[in-house]
Amino acid sequence: MRRNVVVRSIDRADPNLVAELGAAGVATVHEAMGRTGLLGTELSPIQRGARIAGTAVTVTCQPGDNLMIHAAVEQVTNGDVLVVTTTSPSTDGMFGELLATSLRAHGCVGLVIDAGVRDVDELNELGFPVWTRAVSAQGTVKATPGSVNVPVVCAGGVVHPGDVVVADDDGVVVVPRAGAAAASQAAQDRLEREAATRQRLAAGELGLDLYGLRARLDELGVAYVDRLDD
């Protein structure tokens, strides 16, 4: 295989599973998968209250060069999330309003980028959700090859084309395409358990009793005293 490629055909996760995982949210999906799949905390949303779920179209770029993001737009279809990485650390503003406009026209629901973005006000006005390492007005060139739809490492996590990407105010979690059904079922089971737990907590029951934590405190040698000077 050639070193730099644009892969046109990828297998995407089932849209129904994507929707279910998106409704569950990042924290629930992460916990349901055994606390795996979470991308690094260096990625932050440029807006609050946004929640997306979609299938990954991946891009690897040279630092300070967004040529391959332009190449990726052609490969995006409805419900995709663009996941962009660079071959070495970069905070340059590789993405802005015009690229977001183009991506949205092709059905992209959001961006996860392990580099920088700019035009933040315009992106928010456009309502295009972005999770990014940095905000920087520093411009880029379009001169160096990279690849589209190959496995990438983004903020410490491996992302394959067609994987499920869920992002909200809690961060970004990636669900491998092959494990999407199991993850969705585990997330639904967790939501049901949490609903029952929420009712008990709302009724005044203590987490200490609900989770059996009094015995744990005793095992750890935590003593109850009436006053600090007792």
Side-chain angles (χ1 to χ4, degrees):
M1 185 175 69
R2 299 170 70 180
R3 182 180 178 187
N4 299 117
V5 297
V6 174
V7 179
R8 294 192 181 102
S9 180
I10 63 173
D11 295 322
R12 289 172 167 85
D14 185 307
N16 293 323
L17 296 175
V18 173
E20 290 173 1
L21 290 164
V26 169
T28 296
V29 172
H30 168 60
E31 293 283 355
M33 292 198 302
R35 297 183 179 176
T36 62
L38 196 63
L39 301 189
T41 55
E42 57 266 38
L43 298 180
S44 300
I46 63 169
Q47 67 290 295
R48 291 295 177 186
R51 173 179 288 190
I52 63 169
T55 44
V57 167
T58 61
V59 188
T60 180
C61 301
Q62 293 293 318
D65 192 316
N66 69 356
L67 173 63
M68 299 313 296
I69 299 179
H70 286 272
V73 175
E74 187 179 21
Q75 308 309 319
V76 167
T77 190
N78 289 334
D80 284 339
V81 174
L82 199 68
V83 179
V84 179
T85 65
T86 54
T87 56
S88 61
S90 175
T91 58
D92 293 342
M94 299 177 62
F95 184 92
E97 175 200 5
L98 295 181
L99 272 169
T101 300
S102 184
L103 280 172
R104 170 158 285 180
H106 290 268
C108 185
V109 299
L111 171 75
V112 175
I113 180 168
D114 197 0
V117 301
R118 59 185 186 178
D119 300 339
V120 170
D121 286 346
E122 291 82 357
L123 289 171
N124 285 330
E125 288 178 9
L126 187 62
F128 189 84
V130 172
W131 284 257
T132 183
R133 172 183 287 269
V135 173
S136 173
Q138 177 64 49
T140 57
V141 299
K142 300 169 179 61
T144 317
S147 292
V148 176
N149 280 331
V150 299
V152 301
V153 176
C154 180
V158 177
V159 186
H160 291 83
D163 284 350
V164 183
V165 178
V166 181
D168 58 26
D169 285 347
D170 289 333
V172 182
V173 67
V174 177
V175 182
R177 181 179 62 85
S184 178
Q185 184 60 61
Q188 299 310 309
D189 293 344
R190 184 176 180 85
L191 287 171
E192 291 178 5
R193 293 193 301 271
E194 288 181 345
T197 299
R198 188 177 299 108
Q199 287 184 338
R200 294 174 66 178
L201 292 172
E205 189 169 350
L206 294 173
L208 282 173
D209 299 315
L210 182 60
Y211 301 123
L213 297 178
R214 293 190 187 278
R216 176 64 57 83
L217 289 174
D218 187 57
E219 292 171 4
L220 294 172
V222 178
Y224 282 84
V225 297
D226 291 330
R227 296 176 60 87
L228 190 58
D229 54 3
D230 285 354

